[in-house]
Amino acid sequence: MAVATFKGPLNGEYHGKKTLERKNSGKRRVFVQTESGSVLGIELDRGDNVHTVKRKLRLALDVPTDESSLVCGDMVLKNDLSIVRNDSPLLLTRNFLHRSLSTPCLSPTGKDLQQRDQSGPIEVLGYSDQFSRTKQLVVDIVKAIRNGIDPVPVHGGLGGAYYFRNCSGENIAIVKPTDEEPYAPNNPKGFVGKVLGQPGLKRSVRVGETGFREVAAFLLDYNNFANVPDTALVKITHSVFNVNDGVKGNVHRNGKQASKIASLQQFIPHDFDASDHGTSSFPVAAVHRIGILDIRILNTDRHAGNLLVRKLDGGGRFGRIELVPIDHGLCLPESLEDPYFEWIHWPQASIPFSDDELAYINKLDPFKDSDMLRMELPMIREACLRVLVLCTIFLKEAAAFGLCLSEIGEMMSREYRGHEEEPSELEIICIEAKTLLDEEISYFEPKAGREEFQFELDCGKEEELDLAPTTEEKMKTERTFRFGSKGGNGRYLLSKLEESVEEGMEGHEGNELPPRSDDCVSVVQDRIPNVSKLSTSLKNISFGEKSWRHLGSMQKNGYLAGTSSGNRSVNEQRPMSSNFVILADMNEEEWMRFLENFQRLLRPAFANRNAGNVGQRQRQRLGTSCQF
C-alpha cells in the first residue's frame, strides 16, 4: 500500500451515506463555551463577527471578554466568522498576552440586550445521517423530562455522568458533560483544578475534549463493525448538572438550569462487563473487531471495565454473548501515546484475521476518515487526525503482511523497565522516519555562509568535519554517528533493513507478497538487526520537547495535579507518559514525506519481527489505564 493510494481528490463520500453541508442562508447557530463550562447558543447573522459574539456572551452570561480569544479546535478566530460552520462548538479562552488597544469598542444594541439562548433543551451538534437514531433518543428524553422523569447521576467514575430516561423510567442514554470531566471546572467529585483546554489525565488529551473523541469513535465505526453505541455531541440544558462555586469549590446550585456541551451515548442494557466474565468465551470476531477499532484510534484505555457483555440467548454463563465497547474518551491523542489494549493477552487476539476482517481493513482510507471528522467535528485537532492516519496505515500494512491482532498491539505498546518506559516498536519506526526526513531537509537545504566555514573553528565549538564524498555515504555516516551504541559500534537501522525483506519473508507461510522493485539486494538472516534493541542506542536522544528518560523534575511536575494525594488512585499518581514522537511539528509537505519514509520502514520491521529477532520473553508493559 503506497501513500499515493490515499491522496486522490476527496469528493465527500465516505463509508456511510454521503454527508451534505447545510446551505448557508446567512443564519447560523453556534454554541460558545466558556472556560468555566457555561454554554450559550447564539444565532449568527451574516454580518456578525468575533466582537459581536463576545458582546452577546458578556451580556447573556456576565463573563469578561476583553482579554480573551474565540477558538475552534486549533484555530483562533481573528474577527471573521465566515469559516465557522453551523452547529459548531466554540471555546472562549483567556489570553496570556494583552492584545492591542486598537481593538474597536462596540456599544450594545437593543437587540443584543435581549440576547437569549433560543436553542431547545437538547440540541444535537452535527447533522450526519449517522445521528438519526440519536435524534430519536433525544425526542424520547425530552418527552420524559416534560412528564417529570428527571435524569439520575452516575455515582461511579471520576467524571460527571448522568443516566437520561424515557417515559417508562428506563435508562436510554448516558450523558457526560465536557466541563465535568476529571480536572474540569465543574467536576462533581472533587477532581478539579484546571480550565478547559489544559492537559488532563493524559498529557495528550486535553480537559474538555474527551466528548468529541467518544463521537469520533462512533463515526469511525463504519457499519457498526465494532458495535460502538450511537453517540453524538449535544448541547443540553437541565438543573441536574453540577456547577461548582469557584475552581476548588463544589457547591451545587440546586434547581438552576445549566447548559452544557456533552457527549450523549445510547445506553446499552447488559448483564455485566468483561471484568466479571471469563474471556475464553468471548467470540473471536468480536474481539478482533474491537481490537481493529482500538488500533485505528490508538485507544489508550481499553480495559475489561469498558467492554459490556450481553447474553443473546438467555442461556447459562457460556451461552452466546455480545461485546459492546464504550468509553472512548482517551482515544486519538495529540501525539503517539502508550496504548492500553487488554485484549493483547486474550487467546482470540492470536488467531489470524478472517477474510472479512482483512477486507474491511483493506478498504479503510485514513485520509477520507480525517476529512469526514473535520466536517462532523470541526473542533478536532489536526494532531489527532495525524495519529489516526499513522495508526491506520500501520494496521493496514501489518494485516497485509500477515501479523495477527496481538502482534500488532504488542508493536504499538511500550516496554516498562524499572522506572523507565521505552518507546514501542511503532515509535522507533516513527523516530527513524523522522530522522531520515530531517537528514533529507538538512542536506538538501542551501547553507548560507558555507564559504566562511573556516571562521567557525575559532568559536570554541568542536565540529565534526564531513568528508563523505557522496550523499549516500554522508547520510550513512551521520546516522552511524547519531545512533551508534556507546561503545562505538554502530547498529543497523530500520532503513537498512529494506534490503533484507525478501530474506526475512522466506519460509514464513502466509506472508508471501509480490517483490518490490526496489528490493534488489538480499542480506543473510544473521545480519538483520534486533529492532527491539534500537531503543538502547537512542535513550539519550531528545525527540521534540521530551527527553527519553524520566528526569528528576518529573517527580515534581510529572504527576497529576489539582487534588490532594489522598484523593488520587494509583493510576492517577503514576508519572505522566512521555511523548517520544511529536507529529504536529511538521508542515503538510514534511508530513507526507514522513509518511513515505514510515511506510518504507514497515516491511523490514515486520520481516525482522517474524524472523525471530524480537525477544520472545514476556514483556512488562505499563498496563495502567484511567478508569472512568
Side-chain angles (χ1 to χ4, degrees):
M1 180 193 67
V3 172
T5 60
F6 295 120
K7 295 172 64 176
L10 299 175
N11 57 7
E13 294 182 3
Y14 310 111
H15 297 271
K17 295 182 179 179
K18 187 174 182 179
T19 303
L20 299 177
E21 186 93 25
R22 286 178 181 173
K23 293 183 179 180
N24 186 2
S25 61
K27 286 279 189 179
R28 284 168 296 159
R29 179 182 60 175
V30 296
F31 297 93
V32 185
Q33 185 177 33
T34 68
E35 287 184 327
S36 63
S38 300
V39 177
L40 180 68
I42 299 178
E43 294 286 342
L44 295 180
D45 295 324
R46 187 183 297 274
D48 283 346
N49 55 32
V50 169
H51 299 298
T52 56
V53 169
K54 289 182 179 180
R55 184 173 62 232
K56 292 177 180 180
L57 277 172
R58 184 171 63 250
L59 295 173
L61 300 179
D62 192 26
V63 294
T65 60
D66 292 336
E67 298 297 334
S68 62
S69 297
L70 206 59
V71 179
C72 182
D74 293 320
M75 183 170 48
V76 177
L77 304 174
K78 300 300 183 181
N79 195 34
D80 182 29
L81 296 177
S82 60
I83 59 176
V84 177
R85 297 194 299 105
N86 192 50
D87 285 353
S88 292
L90 309 177
L91 178 65
L92 183 73
T93 62
R94 290 171 294 177
N95 294 336
F96 293 102
L97 297 176
H98 291 286
R99 289 183 175 271
S100 170
L101 295 178
S102 62
T103 301
C105 181
L106 304 176
S107 301
T109 64
K111 182 179 179 181
D112 291 330
L113 292 174
Q114 298 176 357
Q115 172 68 38
R116 295 291 184 271
D117 192 336
Q118 303 296 324
S119 57
I122 306 179
E123 297 279 351
V124 176
L125 309 190
Y127 34 87
S128 169
D129 291 338
Q130 298 185 65
F131 297 145
S132 58
R133 292 188 296 270
T134 303
K135 291 178 180 178
Q136 183 57 50
L137 283 177
V138 167
V139 172
D140 295 339
I141 291 171
V142 172
K143 188 182 299 183
I145 292 175
R146 288 172 178 169
N147 288 327
I149 301 177
D150 292 326
V152 178
V154 179
H155 297 293
L158 302 179
Y162 304 85
Y163 290 126
F164 279 71
R165 302 180 287 177
N166 59 16
C167 290
S168 301
E170 301 169 330
N171 295 335
I172 60 173
I174 183 169
V175 172
K176 300 177 182 178
T178 58
D179 66 320
E180 297 189 26
E181 296 176 7
Y183 297 143
N186 291 318
N187 181 274
K189 298 168 183 177
F191 296 93
V192 296
K194 296 186 178 182
V195 297
L196 301 179
Q198 290 184 335
L201 286 175
K202 295 278 187 179
R203 179 190 289 115
S204 54
V205 177
R206 308 188 191 213
V207 174
E209 297 188 2
T210 63
F212 75 73
R213 287 176 165 84
E214 297 261 17
V215 180
F218 165 69
L219 292 174
L220 291 170
D221 186 26
Y222 300 118
N223 302 320
N224 205 223
F225 184 75
N227 210 22
V228 177
D230 291 83
T231 313
L233 203 64
V234 298
K235 184 260 185 181
I236 185 167
T237 304
H238 201 278
S239 59
V240 73
F241 295 130
N242 187 74
V243 178
N244 290 332
D245 185 11
V247 174
K248 294 185 179 180
N250 192 16
V251 180
H252 183 261
R253 300 177 184 174
N254 291 315
K256 184 172 182 179
Q257 297 280 328
S259 295
K260 309 267 189 173
I261 290 179
S263 63
L264 184 149
Q265 186 172 84
Q266 178 189 9
F267 176 78
I268 303 297
H270 55 282
D271 297 283
F272 30 73
D273 62 49
S275 63
D276 300 323
H277 193 280
T279 60
S280 61
S281 62
F282 293 160
V284 174
V287 174
H288 281 192
R289 293 180 174 213
I290 292 171
I292 289 169
L293 175 68
D294 287 341
I295 289 172
R296 291 172 62 200
I297 63 179
L298 193 65
N299 194 348
T300 64
D301 190 36
R302 172 63 72 212
H303 56 84
N306 54 39
L307 283 176
L308 306 182
V309 181
R310 299 177 63 188
K311 294 181 180 179
L312 298 180
D313 53 10
R317 184 174 180 84
F318 298 102
R320 291 179 57 246
I321 61 174
E322 177 185 51
L323 295 181
V324 180
I326 60 171
D327 292 345
H328 298 101
L330 294 179
C331 71
L332 293 178
E334 293 183 38
S335 59
L336 284 185
E337 275 273 4
D338 181 38
Y340 182 65
F341 303 142
E342 186 161 326
W343 41 254
I344 278 184
H345 310 292
W346 297 354
Q348 296 90 333
S350 298
I351 297 177
F353 290 120
S354 67
D355 291 341
D356 290 342
E357 292 160 356
L358 290 174
Y360 181 89
I361 294 172
N362 184 58
K363 291 180 180 178
L364 294 174
D365 188 331
F367 290 93
K368 285 188 176 181
D369 292 346
S370 299
D371 195 60
M372 178 271 293
L373 290 180
R374 289 188 190 100
M375 175 175 288
E376 298 295 344
L377 300 170
M379 78 296 295
I380 195 168
R381 299 177 185 273
E382 285 298 313
C384 304
L385 299 179
R386 288 188 174 184
V387 169
L388 171 67
V389 169
L390 193 74
C391 292
T392 304
I393 291 176
F394 185 75
L395 169 66
K396 290 171 68 72
E397 292 283 1
F401 191 84
L403 299 187
C404 66
L405 185 62
S406 63
E407 292 173 320
I408 300 173
E410 286 173 359
M411 291 189 72
M412 299 177 72
S413 301
R414 294 176 183 172
E415 190 171 353
Y416 192 54
R417 293 183 179 179
H419 297 288
E420 296 180 1
E421 53 182 333
E422 296 190 354
S424 66
E425 294 172 63
L426 170 61
E427 289 173 306
I428 291 174
I429 297 171
C430 290
I431 292 168
E432 173 67 359
K434 184 65 163 57
T435 301
L436 293 174
L437 174 64
D438 291 341
E439 289 171 345
E440 294 169 6
I441 294 175
S442 63
Y443 181 76
F444 290 105
E445 280 184 350
K447 299 180 180 179
R450 188 173 180 84
E451 66 277 8
E452 300 179 358
F453 175 77
Q454 62 268 24
F455 294 105
E456 297 178 6
L457 298 177
D458 300 327
C459 298
K461 296 182 179 179
E462 296 182 2
E463 299 287 348
E464 288 290 327
L465 295 180
D466 184 7
L467 302 178
T470 66
T471 302
E472 181 180 357
E473 293 178 3
K474 179 183 187 304
M475 296 178 70
K476 178 179 178 181
T477 302
E478 290 178 351
R479 285 199 294 270
T480 303
F481 173 75
R482 184 179 303 181
F483 293 102
S485 62
K486 292 182 180 179
N489 297 324
R491 295 180 182 272
Y492 287 101
L493 292 183
L494 290 175
S495 55
K496 295 296 183 183
L497 290 180
E498 280 191 86
E499 300 172 347
S500 63
V501 172
E502 295 294 336
E503 181 70 20
M505 288 169 53
E506 288 181 4
H508 188 79
E509 185 177 357
N511 284 339
E512 291 80 2
L513 296 177
R516 285 173 31 167
S517 58
D518 57 343
D519 292 334
C520 302
V521 183
S522 295
V523 181
V524 292
Q525 187 62 43
D526 58 0
R527 291 186 61 190
I528 301 178
N530 188 333
V531 178
S532 65
K533 294 183 179 179
L534 275 176
S535 59
T536 304
S537 62
L538 299 176
K539 279 188 175 181
N540 295 323
I541 303 297
S542 293
F543 194 87
E545 299 177 353
K546 307 299 177 185
S547 172
W548 284 92
R549 294 184 179 273
H550 288 300
L551 303 178
S553 60
M554 283 297 294
Q555 300 195 356
K556 178 179 179 181
N557 301 321
Y559 293 89
L560 300 176
T563 60
S564 65
S565 59
N567 292 332
R568 296 202 303 262
S569 66
V570 175
N571 282 339
E572 297 171 76
Q573 295 183 53
R574 72 182 179 88
M576 298 286 280
S577 188
S578 299
N579 289 336
F580 297 132
V581 178
I582 306 297
L583 302 177
D585 59 354
M586 292 178 275
N587 61 37
E588 192 63 28
E589 180 182 356
E590 292 171 345
W591 167 240
M592 297 309 299
R593 291 166 63 185
F594 167 83
L595 287 180
E596 292 174 357
N597 290 336
F598 173 73
Q599 278 194 279
R600 185 163 54 86
L601 297 172
L602 289 179
R603 286 170 57 95
F606 298 150
N608 184 65
R609 182 180 183 85
N610 281 344
N613 288 328
V614 174
Q616 298 300 320
R617 67 187 183 281
Q618 181 67 33
R619 297 185 175 188
Q620 182 184 6
R621 304 292 181 182
L622 275 174
T624 53
S625 60
C626 303
Q627 299 182 8
F628 285 84

